[in-house]
């Protein structure tokens, strides 16, 4: 019997990185998980890994920013597993530039993925939550960033979106308390994923949703950043997932409207 036995969870962006580890962790604790990724292959891989370990999973492939995705995501949970108890809004990415060089497309894209998409998913979930009250507390964990708490040069779009996630969290915590839903956020510092891996290639890129996005951290910059972290290193996706899991547990039933900064005490 896991700590989340019988719960049903949505985890956006769970084909890779932090989202994958969140999905695997929730599944190990007994939750049925709806996995999401832009690309079918990583989504199916996470789904299959959960099932192979004895868990329950289904996939909902596609961009969280697409019109109609939120309703499809919620419907997958209800149709596949008969409920919806946990929502982890994790999907997102960065597209950096100093403000004088940032285009409207960069601004709009990052706001759409990191802020508008969580808003739409939560809006789509509410009719089901209202119509199906539970004796236990449901959980929402929205993923923010230290960029949204303290600001990061070159990330006006991402910082604004992640600050907005915190505002959305605190507002819904007040609106949804009547439905026995805890709404919290986690703001991550340096977590080592495919977006932040060390690389000496100044032109390293990933293609995300049809866009070529620069990724990676220069070795010298990583070494400098690591010196400012008390543990001397960035966090792992599994460590990041642990913080999300904590806010999904029954032990966190009286934790609401909080933004947990997970940066190993760097700031």
């Amino acid at each position: 019997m896991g700590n989340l036995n019988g719960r049903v969870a949505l985890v956006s962006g769970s084909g890779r990185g932090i989202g994958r580890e969140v999905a695997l962790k929730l599944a190990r604790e007994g939750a049925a998980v709806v996995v999401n990724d832009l690309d079918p292959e990583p989504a199916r891989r996470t789904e299959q890994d959960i099932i192979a370990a004895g868990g329950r999973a289904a996939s909902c492939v596609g961009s969280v920013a697409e019109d109609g995705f939120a309703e499809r995501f919620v419907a997958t949970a209800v149709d596949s597993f008969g409920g919806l108890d946990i929502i982890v809004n994790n999907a997102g990415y960065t597209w950096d530039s100093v403000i004088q060089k940032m285009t409207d497309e960069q601004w709009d894209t990052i706001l759409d993925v990191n802020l508008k998409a969580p808003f739409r998913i939560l809006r789509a979930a509410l009719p089901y939550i209202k119509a199906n009250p539970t004796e236990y507390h449901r959980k929402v964990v929205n993923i923010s960033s230290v960029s949204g708490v303290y600001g990061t040069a070159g990330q006006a779009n991402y910082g604004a979106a992640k600050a907005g996630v915190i505002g959305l969290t605190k507002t819904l915590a007040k609106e949804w308390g009547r439905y026995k839903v805890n709404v919290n956020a986690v703001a991550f510092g340096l977590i080592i994923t495919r977006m932040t891996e060390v690389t000496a290639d100044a032109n390293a890129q990933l293609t995300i949703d049809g866009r070529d996005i620069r990724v990676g951290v220069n070795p010298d910059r990583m070494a400098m950043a690591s010196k400012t972290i008390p543990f001397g290193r960035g966090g792992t996706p599994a460590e990041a997932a642990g913080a999300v899991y904590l806010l999904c547990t029954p032990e966190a039933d009286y934790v609401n409207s909080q933004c947990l900064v997970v940066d190993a005490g760097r700031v």
Side-chain angles (χ1 to χ4, degrees):
M1 294 289 287
N3 212 11
L4 303 177
N5 195 59
R7 304 293 198 266
V8 178
L10 298 177
V11 184
S12 67
S14 46
R16 306 175 175 92
I18 294 171
R20 171 180 163 82
E21 292 298 328
V22 171
L24 294 174
K25 177 65 175 175
L26 298 185
R28 284 195 296 269
E29 292 296 326
V33 180
V34 178
V35 176
N36 157 257
D37 197 90
L38 269 170
D39 304 313
E41 184 178 343
R44 304 298 185 203
R45 188 183 310 120
T46 301
E47 177 188 6
Q48 290 167 5
D49 287 347
I50 290 172
I51 293 171
R56 297 182 297 156
S59 294
C60 184
V61 176
S63 170
V64 295
E66 288 178 357
D67 290 344
F69 172 83
E71 291 75 14
R72 182 162 60 88
F73 201 23
V74 170
T76 301
V78 176
D79 294 345
S80 299
F81 304 115
L84 177 57
D85 304 299
I86 297 168
I87 301 172
V88 181
N89 280 308
N90 167 78
Y93 60 93
T94 59
W95 190 3
D96 297 349
S97 180
V98 291
I99 193 166
Q100 67 269 26
K101 296 181 180 180
M102 185 173 290
T103 65
D104 285 356
E105 182 188 6
Q106 279 179 282
W107 176 270
D108 292 342
T109 297
I110 295 307
L111 268 290
D112 283 350
V113 170
N114 290 283
L115 181 56
K116 188 175 183 179
F119 155 72
R120 284 175 157 182
I121 290 167
L122 295 169
R123 182 178 63 183
L126 186 58
Y128 178 84
I129 289 170
K130 287 177 64 175
N132 297 274
T134 59
E135 295 182 1
Y136 52 84
H137 284 236
R138 290 183 165 107
K139 312 289 183 178
V140 172
V141 182
N142 295 318
I143 304 305
S144 184
S145 166
V146 293
S147 289
V149 179
Y150 305 114
T152 300
Q155 292 190 333
N157 51 0
Y158 187 70
K162 291 304 190 181
V165 165
I166 297 171
L168 176 65
T169 297
K170 291 183 175 294
T171 299
L172 289 192
K174 293 176 172 59
E175 291 187 11
W176 286 17
R178 72 193 73 179
Y179 307 122
K180 296 181 72 172
V181 180
N182 300 67
V183 187
N184 293 291
V186 175
F188 289 121
L190 178 59
I191 306 296
I192 306 303
T193 68
R194 66 180 184 143
M195 302 291 292
T196 56
E197 289 178 336
V198 175
T199 178
D201 182 0
N203 297 311
Q205 294 182 335
L206 288 174
T207 301
I208 302 175
D209 204 13
R211 299 178 175 89
D212 292 331
I213 306 296
R214 287 185 60 183
V215 297
V217 179
N218 177 274
D220 292 337
R221 289 187 61 191
M222 180 63 79
M224 185 180 299
S226 296
K227 288 179 181 179
T228 67
I229 300 172
F231 295 152
R233 62 174 178 83
T236 67
E239 289 171 326
V244 176
Y245 164 71
L246 289 174
L247 293 173
C248 294
T249 64
E251 287 80 2
D253 278 356
Y254 208 65
V255 179
N256 197 34
S257 190
Q258 301 304 302
C259 179
L260 175 63
V261 175
V262 179
D263 68 349
R266 181 183 183 188
V267 178

